[in-house]
């Protein structure tokens, strides 16, 4: 795959010869493969960018099942942007700091150490970069570690870092806590729509999948051309994101504008995914979001995704379908692989499941 300057650094099905972290440390300019094309979807025009603490609602999760006001706030947030900041989630600040610390320590290890956990070509799990699957692909300025945490017997522990020594223990505890929080959110979401409490959780099945993605974004000399993560919506049911404690970067589209999700140090950002948009028959939104880069600060985030059991069919909850709100989506099985197939064909999965 030759580029204009004649430097052929990438070919299909391979990972990067140099990590973005190494390019960042060496002060290399990002290669053209990282430059976002000037299309409205991926454009970096910051003129329409408004950052406001008020544009992403803050919701006290501990109040959701007792306060109708908080429940109403949840419904509004999920119906408008599909994103809110959760406080009162019951996870102590010191434990949140611990999660950030193990992530930071891991990414700070020498390359050879991290590569023990590298994913193979065609594998999604493990440590690595974007796989190059097409010539037109624009690469993201990040390195990540992607792992399945539930069902527990499907964990590939050989890909779970042993350095720092408490990484596995912390990840196990963190994912267990987030699973509980997600279960509560599914109940609250159903309650906010006056439908049976288990309407959503039942669809995820007894053994829902949970995956974690540790994202590392090194400084980038071309923040006006290169994104940390290109615009996308998550294929999950719900994503719970622990942002960096100081460095912003996550933006969501709200009312046609990119807005920055501000950093609230011990809050968790909840982003709905496509599967909840489908199950709620479009009442709840799966926000399109992206991550921008910056020139001098590295950023780390930890995203936890849940998904329905792959062989279970998901679809709009029956009681959310009526004459005023006809069925928007057909039922679908294994949305994760469907989503991937669509991505490879350059299609948007959520559009493809519309009736
Ligand atoms: O780093 C972030 O803030 C968001 C990352 C993200 O969108 C993802 O991992 O799906
Ligand atoms: Fe995402």
């Amino acid at each position: 795959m030759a580029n204009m300057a004649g430097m052929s650094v990438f070919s299909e099905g391979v990972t990067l010869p140099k990590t973005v972290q190494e390019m960042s440390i060496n002060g290399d300019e990002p290669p053209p493969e990282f430059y976002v094309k000037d299309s409205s979807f991926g454009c970096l025009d910051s003129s329409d960018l408004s950052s406001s603490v008020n544009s992403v609602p803050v919701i006290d999760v501990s109040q959701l099942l007792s306060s109708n006001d908080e429940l109403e706030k949840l419904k509004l947030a999920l119906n408008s942007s599909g994103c809110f900041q959760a406080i009162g989630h019951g996870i102590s600040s010191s434990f949140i700091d611990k999660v950030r610390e193990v992530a930071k320590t891991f990414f700070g290890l020498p390359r050879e150490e991290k590569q023990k956990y590298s994913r193979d070509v065609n594998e999604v799990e493990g440590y690595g970069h974007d796989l190059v699957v097409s010539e037109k692909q624009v690469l993201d300025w990040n390195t990540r570690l992607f792992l399945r945490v539930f069902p527990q017997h499907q964990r590939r522990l050989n890909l779970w870092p042993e350095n720092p020594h408490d990484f596995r223990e912390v990840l196990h505890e963190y994912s267990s806590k987030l699973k509980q929080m997600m279960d509560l959110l599914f109940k609250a979401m159903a309650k906010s729509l006056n439908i049976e409490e288990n309407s959503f959780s039942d669809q995820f099945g007894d053994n829902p999948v949970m995956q974690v993605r540790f994202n590392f974004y090194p400084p980038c000399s071309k923040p006006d051309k290169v994104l940390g993560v290109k615009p996308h919506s998550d294929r999950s049911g719900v994503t719970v994101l622990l942002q960096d404690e100081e460095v912003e970067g996550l933006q969501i589209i709200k009312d046609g504008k990119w807005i920055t999700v501000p950093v609230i140090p011990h809050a968790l950002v909840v982003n709905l995914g496509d599967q909840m948009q489908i199950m709620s028959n479009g009442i709840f939104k799966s926000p399109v979001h992206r991550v921008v880069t910056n020139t001098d600060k590295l950023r780390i985030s930890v995203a936890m995704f849940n998904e329905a059991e792959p062989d279970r069919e998901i679809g709009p909850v029956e009681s959310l379908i009526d004459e005023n709100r006809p069925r928007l989506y057909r039922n679908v099985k294994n949305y994760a692989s469907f989503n991937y197939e669509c991505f490879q064909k350059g299609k948007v999965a959520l559009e493809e499941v519309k009736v």
Side-chain angles (χ1 to χ4, degrees):
M1 173 174 171
N3 59 44
M4 301 259 274
M7 305 177 293
S8 180
V9 287
F10 302 111
S11 58
E12 286 185 34
V14 299
T15 45
L16 307 174
K18 258 193 199 175
T19 68
V20 292
Q21 194 171 3
E22 285 161 350
M23 290 192 262
S24 176
I25 291 168
N26 294 347
D28 296 355
E29 292 240 317
E33 284 81 356
F34 286 88
Y35 287 18
V36 175
K37 306 290 177 301
D38 188 25
S39 72
S40 59
F41 195 51
C43 103
L44 283 164
D45 180 7
S46 57
S47 60
D48 59 356
L49 183 66
S50 51
S51 170
S52 153
V53 176
N54 298 326
S55 42
V56 180
V58 177
I59 291 181
D60 185 343
V61 174
S62 70
Q63 297 296 308
L64 279 175
L65 297 180
S66 56
S67 152
N68 282 335
D69 287 352
E70 215 61 17
L71 207 57
E72 194 57 28
K73 238 163 98 181
L74 176 78
K75 183 167 121 184
L76 270 176
L78 299 183
N79 178 240
S80 56
S81 65
C83 178
F84 67 91
Q85 306 242 29
I87 57 165
H89 45 60
I91 306 180
S92 70
S93 299
S94 58
F95 188 66
I96 298 250
D97 292 340
K98 190 83 206 157
V99 175
R100 289 195 174 113
E101 190 188 308
V102 295
K104 197 169 175 180
T105 307
F106 173 74
F107 285 118
L109 295 173
R111 183 184 190 177
E112 309 75 57
E113 178 68 19
K114 287 178 288 196
Q115 277 179 337
K116 288 187 193 161
Y117 310 101
S118 284
R119 58 143 196 250
D120 306 323
V121 175
N122 298 325
E123 292 282 356
V124 285
E125 271 188 85
Y127 170 78
H129 293 94
D130 278 341
L131 268 184
V132 181
V133 292
S134 97
E135 285 236 349
K136 288 187 225 124
Q137 193 177 342
V138 176
L139 302 178
D140 290 338
W141 191 256
N142 77 48
T143 313
R144 64 256 175 177
L145 174 66
F146 190 66
L147 300 169
R148 178 176 290 238
V149 292
F150 288 118
Q152 200 162 338
H153 69 271
Q154 289 176 8
R155 289 180 183 175
R156 292 174 59 187
L157 283 180
N158 59 317
L159 297 175
W160 287 43
E162 284 184 291
N163 188 353
H165 69 95
D166 51 353
F167 187 101
R168 293 180 177 187
E169 192 187 314
V170 171
L171 178 56
H172 173 73
E173 190 174 338
Y174 185 59
S175 31
S176 307
K177 286 182 194 298
L178 286 196
K179 192 171 201 282
Q180 281 176 22
M181 172 175 156
M182 287 171 176
D183 288 343
L184 185 146
L185 287 178
F186 293 133
K187 282 204 171 77
M189 287 179 207
K191 204 173 162 208
S192 79
L193 296 173
N194 292 316
I195 57 175
E196 210 277 309
E197 209 177 63
N198 295 330
S199 302
F200 297 127
S201 49
D202 280 352
Q203 289 211 36
F204 287 96
D206 295 330
N207 288 301
V209 174
M210 270 176 64
Q211 287 158 311
V212 67
R213 188 172 140 144
F214 293 86
N215 295 299
F216 177 87
Y217 308 93
C220 176
S221 60
K222 289 272 180 282
D224 55 334
K225 294 200 172 73
V226 174
L227 285 170
V229 182
K230 291 181 296 300
H232 67 285
S233 64
D234 290 345
R235 67 174 199 210
S236 58
V238 40
T239 304
V240 177
L241 182 84
L242 178 59
Q243 285 214 78
D244 193 277
E245 65 210 311
E246 6 184 87
V247 186
E248 290 178 342
L250 175 64
Q251 299 180 339
I252 58 165
I253 291 186
K254 192 175 177 184
D255 306 326
K257 289 181 183 157
W258 287 112
I259 56 164
T260 296
V261 179
V263 168
I264 304 180
H266 296 105
L268 294 166
V269 178
V270 177
N271 255 343
L272 284 202
D274 292 357
Q275 297 187 23
M276 273 306 303
Q277 180 161 335
I278 294 170
M279 291 181 199
S280 69
N281 201 23
I283 297 175
F284 292 155
K285 305 296 183 309
S286 168
V288 171
H289 55 284
R290 67 180 185 183
V291 177
V292 293
T293 51
N294 74 76
T295 48
D296 48 28
K297 291 196 177 108
L298 68 84
R299 177 174 183 272
I300 292 176
S301 71
V302 184
M304 189 73 75
F305 309 93
N306 96 312
E307 295 191 68
E309 273 174 29
D311 48 12
R312 262 188 109 89
E313 204 168 66
I314 62 158
V317 172
E318 285 299 329
S319 47
L320 297 176
I321 304 173
D322 57 34
E323 315 84 71
N324 300 327
R325 177 168 278 280
R327 171 188 276 271
L328 277 182
Y329 302 103
R330 53 189 172 80
N331 291 356
V332 56
K333 258 191 198 175
N334 204 344
Y335 187 75
S337 47
F338 178 74
N339 187 66
Y340 187 66
E341 282 160 31
C342 290
F343 166 76
Q344 284 187 312
K345 291 182 208 147
K347 292 183 171 162
V348 177
L350 210 41
E351 290 298 314
E352 301 300 306
V353 287
K354 278 193 175 152
V355 289

